[in-house]
Amino acid sequence: MIRFENITKSYGDNRVITNLNFEIAKGEFFVLIGPSGSGKTTTLKMINRLINPSQGDIYLNNKNITEFSLRELRLDMGYVLQQIALFPNLTVRGNIELIPEMKGWSKAQRLDKVRELLAKVGLPADKYLERYPRDLSGGEQQRVGILRAIIANPSILLMDEPFSALDPISRKQLQDLTLSLQKELGMTVVFVTHDIEEAKKLADRIAVFQEGQIVQLDNPDIVAKNPINDFVADLFGGDNQ
């Protein structure tokens, strides 16, 4: 579904991504992990063209992403950040409705879908619809952010360390919620994290980044039990169970 071919990204003389070649399957939960500065977020942002590669091509369903208009490309991709980035002047309803409104959904259709989704994530519509972001906890805000990203049924959900600022209980709840929604909706999820346990819990496959390259790409059990080098072994805490 998503294919990187010979992707390199440089800023002047500083090369941050070197010759990436990999594919992400439709419906896969694909996790990018590695230390800060290893190229994870840059790679994620190239999928929706927030960043363009210096060399190489990226394909979506065998079509070069440069052949899509930016609007067309991004309207079919949800995007959830660590910085929750809800619009403070909009209510919960207003925040979640943004993309459907841009797509021309009727007011009644939007409201019905917002109510349905709020119920799925444990935020009763009668209580939360007209609240503002300032009235919500961090975990509640991130739930709203996820709903805003998925309400229009995107085929791809991009998530950049979305839970790293949350307390452990909220983090676990949102990990479980994301897995459940991904399975229910059949979305392809591309997820950036630096947390090994989070990666092992969520991923169908893990891409381990080191200095702008993928050094190992496999399912979590294989990466943990058979690290390809000392860097990966150290990253996974020497887990050989």
Side-chain angles (χ1 to χ4, degrees), residues 196-197 200 223-224 227 229-241:
I196 296 299
E197 294 307 313
K200 289 195 286 189
V223 176
N229 59 21
D230 289 343
F231 168 81
V232 178
D234 290 343
L235 192 66
F236 278 73
D239 182 4
N240 59 2
Q241 301 303 310

Side-chain angles (χ1 to χ4, degrees), residues 92-142:
V92 166
R93 175 181 174 181
N95 269 282
I96 298 172
E97 283 185 344
L98 279 172
I99 299 300
E101 191 171 2
M102 291 172 64
K103 288 190 166 187
W105 292 20
S106 71
K107 185 175 180 179
Q109 186 183 11
R110 297 197 307 265
L111 180 57
D112 285 347
K113 191 65 174 180
V114 171
R115 285 182 168 275
E116 174 193 333
L117 289 176
L118 284 171
K120 283 184 186 295
V121 300
L123 301 177
D126 292 344
K127 184 177 179 182
Y128 283 91
L129 264 182
E130 302 306 325
R131 287 191 179 184
Y132 286 86
R134 63 179 176 271
D135 303 320
L136 307 177
S137 69
E140 289 170 340
Q141 288 185 43
Q142 199 62 299

Side-chain angles (χ1 to χ4, degrees), residues 22-47:
F22 66 93
E23 294 187 13
I24 301 171
K26 179 178 175 60
E28 185 171 25
F29 205 121
F30 190 88
V31 174
L32 286 59
I33 194 163
S36 297
S38 59
K40 307 181 302 296
T41 292
T42 298
T43 300
L44 183 85
K45 287 182 174 180
M46 286 194 283
I47 295 172

Side-chain angles (χ1 to χ4, degrees), residues 176-191:
D176 292 342
L177 171 65
T178 301
L179 275 175
S180 173
L181 289 171
Q182 185 250 350
K183 288 179 170 59
E184 179 181 344
L185 302 174
M187 293 181 299
T188 303
V189 177
V190 187
F191 190 103

Side-chain angles (χ1 to χ4, degrees), residues 129-232:
L129 264 182
E130 302 306 325
R131 287 191 179 184
Y132 286 86
R134 63 179 176 271
D135 303 320
L136 307 177
S137 69
E140 289 170 340
Q141 288 185 43
Q142 199 62 299
R143 279 174 162 78
V144 173
I146 291 170
L147 296 186
R148 182 176 65 184
I150 69 168
I151 185 170
N153 296 321
S155 59
I156 298 168
L157 180 61
L158 308 176
M159 307 187 82
D160 191 1
E161 302 210 31
F163 312 141
S164 59
L166 301 177
D167 64 88
I169 293 175
S170 295
R171 185 170 189 154
K172 181 186 182 301
Q173 290 174 340
L174 285 171
Q175 289 168 353
D176 292 342
L177 171 65
T178 301
L179 275 175
S180 173
L181 289 171
Q182 185 250 350
K183 288 179 170 59
E184 179 181 344
L185 302 174
M187 293 181 299
T188 303
V189 177
V190 187
F191 190 103
V192 168
T193 184
H194 63 269
D195 184 285
I196 296 299
E197 294 307 313
E198 183 167 72
K200 289 195 286 189
K201 176 177 180 176
L202 296 175
D204 293 314
R205 287 190 302 156
I206 294 177
V208 183
F209 277 72
Q210 181 183 15
E211 297 179 352
Q213 299 183 69
I214 294 176
V215 293
Q216 189 162 4
L217 173 55
D218 217 318
N219 72 58
D221 285 342
I222 290 177
V223 176
K225 293 176 180 177
N226 300 288
I228 200 165
N229 59 21
D230 289 343
F231 168 81
V232 178

Side-chain angles (χ1 to χ4, degrees), residues 26-79:
K26 179 178 175 60
E28 185 171 25
F29 205 121
F30 190 88
V31 174
L32 286 59
I33 194 163
S36 297
S38 59
K40 307 181 302 296
T41 292
T42 298
T43 300
L44 183 85
K45 287 182 174 180
M46 286 194 283
I47 295 172
N48 68 353
R49 294 184 60 198
L50 284 171
I51 294 174
N52 291 312
S54 303
Q55 298 174 31
D57 297 288
I58 301 171
Y59 295 89
L60 176 60
N61 296 327
N62 295 316
K63 181 177 177 179
N64 195 306
I65 62 170
T66 60
E67 297 178 22
F68 295 91
S69 71
L70 281 177
R71 177 184 172 86
E72 179 188 10
L73 185 72
R74 291 174 182 169
L75 280 179
D76 197 37
M77 293 187 189
Y79 192 26

